[in-house]
Amino acid sequence: MEDVKKDEGWIDKTLPVDWNKVKEEAVGEILPHHMKLWWYCLGGVPAVMFLILVITGMMLSFHYVPHPDMAYESVVKITTEIPYGWWLRSIHRWSAEIMIVTVSLHAIRVFATGAYRHPRELCWMTGAILLLLCFGLGFTGYSLVYTQMSYWAMTIGTGIAAKTPLIGSFLSRFMLGGEAIGEATLNRFFILHAAILPSITFLMVFVHIVLIRLHGVTEHLVGIQREVVKGLSRGDE
Amino acid sequence: MSEKDGGGQEVSRRDFLANAAMTVGLVATIGTAGVYGVRYLVPKAKVKKFVDVLVTNLKELRPGVAREFIDASGRKGILVNNNGQVKAFSKICTHLGCEVEWHQLKKEFYCPCHEGFFDADGINIKGPPPRPLDEFKVTVKDDNIYVALEEV
Ligand code: HEM
Ligand code: FES
C-alpha cells in the first residue's frame, strides 16, 4: 500500500470519480430567485412520487396475481394478510394520486408562465408525453384491482379509445386483446402498468431533466419583483 | 457550507442542527420502510398452535351420542361417538356456514339451510356442501376425551 497517495484510498483508485465535482453538478446549480416559490418547483414532486411508485410497485408485484380469477383475491390478501401489505399498497395508491395532481399543476404552471417557449420546446414536448404516460399509468393501475369499478373503468376507457377516428377499433382491440374484457386484457394492462409504461416514463423523466439542466429554468420577472418588494433576498450573491 | 463559512471546515450550529435533523429523519424513514419491506417480502407463515382440551369422557359420550363444544375463539364444534369411534368436527356447514346437527338414528349430520347432509365421518353425501366438514384431532386417554383446539 506504499504507492497509494496519502488521501487516495482503495475506493478512489478503483472508482476514479471526482466526487466533489459530481456533488457540485448535482446540487450546486445556481437558480433564479423565483424558484423559492413553491409552484415553480412542482416538477420535482411527480419525480419523487415516480421513484416511490417504482419501488412500492415492484414490491406489490411480488404478491399480485394478474389473472381474472385471482387478481382481486390477491389484492385482498395483500391488504389483509401479508405483513405491511396494506401499508405498501396505501403508499403506492397515494403516491399515484399525488403524482397525477402535481404533474397536472406543473403543466398548468409551465403553460401559465409561458415557460414552454423557444428554446425549451423539447422540454414541453417530453413533458406532454409524460402527462399522457401518467394518465396511462393511472388508468392501467386502477384496472388491476379488478373490482366492479375497475371493470367499468376498463369498459369506459377502451370504449373511449374505440371512438378514435380511423384507428379506433384497432386501438380498442389492442387494449382488450380481443373483443371483450378477459384474461388477455388483464395481462396486457399488467405488463403495460408494471413494465412498459414505467420504463418509457423513466426514460422521458431523464431526458426532461437533462434538457432542463442544459437550458436552466426560465428567468421570470415575477419572482425578481416579488423578491425586491418583500425583501426575500438573503443577499448572498 | 459556502466558501464564506470558512472553506467547509467550520460548521455553524444552525447547519449542524439542520443536518442532524435531516439525518435522523432519513434514517428513521428509510429504516422503517426497510423493516416493513423485508417483513412484506418474507412473510412468516402463521404457525397455528393447538392444545389438547379435556371435553368429556366415554361414560358421558356413549355410542351414538353427540356433544357440542366451543373453542377459545367462540367457534362451535361437535363430538360424536359412532359405535365406539370418537370424532370431532366443526359445526360450520361447508356450504354457506349454517350450523349442522347430528341425527342420532340416521347417523348423519344435517344442515337445515339448504338440505345438506354429511355422514358420520363428516363426508358431504347429499345437497350443496362442496367439501367435508372440518375435523379436529381427538385423543382418548383413560376414558377421557381430549380435542386439539387452536390456541389464541
Ligand atoms: C412525470 C412527470 C414530470 C416530471 C417528473 C417533471 C419534472 C420536471 C422538473 C423537475 C422540472 C424543473 C422545474 C420545475 O420543477 O418546475 C421541470 C420543468 C419543466 N417541465 Fe416538467 N415534469 C413532468 C411533466 C411535465 C409535463 C406534463 C409538462 C407539460 C406538458 C412539462 C413541461 C416542463 C417544462 C416546459 C419545464 C421547464 C420549465 C422552466 O423552464 O421553468 N413537464 N419538469
Ligand atoms: S349452508 Fe349448509 S347446506 Fe347451505
Side-chain angles (χ1 to χ4, degrees):
Chain A
M1 290 292 274
E2 289 96 56
D3 54 339
V4 177
K5 264 194 255 150
K6 209 173 129 209
D7 55 347
E8 200 174 67
W10 184 83
I11 292 175
D12 294 317
K13 280 208 125 187
T14 46
L15 204 66
V17 176
D18 187 346
W19 293 108
N20 283 330
K21 218 171 156 194
V22 172
K23 189 179 158 200
E24 203 176 299
E25 272 297 313
V27 297
E29 194 192 16
I30 293 164
L31 293 170
H33 269 290
H34 73 263
M35 291 303 280
K36 283 178 189 162
L37 306 171
W38 64 268
W39 54 91
Y40 285 100
C41 308
L42 274 170
V45 184
V48 174
M49 288 305 123
F50 180 64
L51 246 164
I52 295 175
L53 283 163
V54 168
I55 296 169
T56 52
M58 282 183 189
M59 310 269 291
L60 287 175
S61 57
F62 273 71
H63 290 294
Y64 176 75
V65 185
H67 186 280
D69 297 343
M70 302 283 292
Y72 180 67
E73 230 175 277
S74 68
V75 173
V76 170
K77 202 173 158 196
I78 288 171
T79 320
T80 59
E81 256 181 61
I82 296 169
Y84 299 109
W86 58 270
W87 188 74
L88 282 162
R89 203 186 147 208
S90 302
I91 293 183
H92 195 76
R93 180 66 196 250
W94 282 101
S95 305
E97 310 265 359
I98 295 168
M99 180 169 86
I100 301 278
V101 170
T102 52
V103 86
S104 306
L105 290 176
H106 172 59
I108 292 168
R109 181 245 104 185
V110 169
F111 180 76
T113 58
Y116 50 81
R117 280 179 298 219
H118 184 72
R120 281 173 256 268
E121 297 95 329
L122 286 176
C123 273
W124 175 258
M125 287 180 210
T126 49
I129 295 170
L130 279 170
L131 188 64
L132 292 177
L133 284 166
C134 286
F135 290 161
L137 280 163
F139 173 53
T140 50
Y142 192 75
S143 305
L144 294 183
V145 189
Y146 225 62
T147 55
Q148 284 289 325
M149 293 293 282
S150 308
Y151 182 88
W152 289 107
M154 282 161 115
T155 306
I156 292 164
T158 52
I160 292 171
K163 291 282 178 278
T164 316
L166 299 176
I167 54 165
S169 74
F170 169 82
L171 260 185
S172 114
R173 254 181 296 124
F174 169 73
M175 286 161 81
L176 291 170
E179 301 298 338
I181 294 174
E183 212 171 299
T185 320
L186 190 56
N187 218 18
R188 255 154 221 248
F189 273 52
F190 179 62
I191 290 300
L192 280 168
H193 183 79
I196 299 171
L197 294 181
S199 311
I200 304 174
T201 307
F202 190 85
L203 218 109
M204 282 294 149
V205 172
F206 183 76
V207 175
H208 194 73
I209 288 177
V210 166
L211 284 168
I212 293 154
R213 293 306 291 265
L214 289 176
H215 286 299
V217 290
T218 315
E219 300 273 354
H220 289 293
L221 275 175
V222 258
I224 295 161
Q225 278 168 349
R226 196 185 135 102
E227 166 220 318
V228 169
V229 172
K230 294 213 167 179
L232 276 176
S233 169
R234 286 161 83 187
D236 46 8
E237 259 96 302
Chain B
M1 272 178 286
S2 73
E3 297 300 306
K4 270 191 250 158
D5 295 341
Q9 289 301 314
E10 277 168 47
V11 180
S12 69
R13 179 197 297 263
R14 187 194 169 107
D15 280 346
F16 172 77
L17 288 176
N19 285 340
M22 185 100 80
T23 311
V24 170
L26 274 177
V27 169
T29 309
I30 296 172
T32 311
V35 171
Y36 285 13
V38 169
R39 295 235 188 114
Y40 169 85
L41 288 179
V42 194
K44 265 193 217 135
K46 266 197 211 133
V47 191
K48 286 189 180 172
K49 269 203 202 154
F50 292 89
V51 271
D52 285 332
V53 177
L54 174 66
V55 176
T56 180
N57 56 47
L58 284 175
K59 261 175 243 139
E60 299 278 334
L61 198 79
R62 288 188 309 280
V65 174
R67 189 191 190 282
E68 205 177 274
F69 60 88
I70 299 179
D71 79 359
S73 35
R75 282 170 298 203
K76 284 185 185 170
I78 187 161
L79 259 175
V80 177
N81 185 341
N82 184 29
N83 295 328
Q85 197 193 29
V86 180
K87 290 200 168 189
F89 301 98
S90 160
K91 278 195 89 179
I92 314 290
C93 175
T94 54
H95 179 225
L96 292 174
C98 290
E99 268 182 46
V100 296
E101 292 296 342
W102 173 245
H103 197 294
Q104 200 163 338
L105 295 178
K106 290 190 184 151
K107 295 198 166 28
E108 277 173 359
F109 293 100
Y110 168 60
C111 176
C113 288
H114 314 94
E115 301 277 310
F117 291 90
F118 305 83
D119 69 11
D121 290 321
I123 310 287
N124 46 324
I125 44 173
K126 221 170 89 191
R131 62 184 175 83
L133 293 170
D134 291 331
E135 194 171 348
F136 294 88
K137 190 170 85 52
V138 176
T139 320
V140 182
K141 217 167 82 186
D142 306 329
D143 279 7
N144 287 331
I145 301 171
Y146 301 84
V147 180
L149 296 180
E150 195 181 336
E151 253 184 10
V152 277

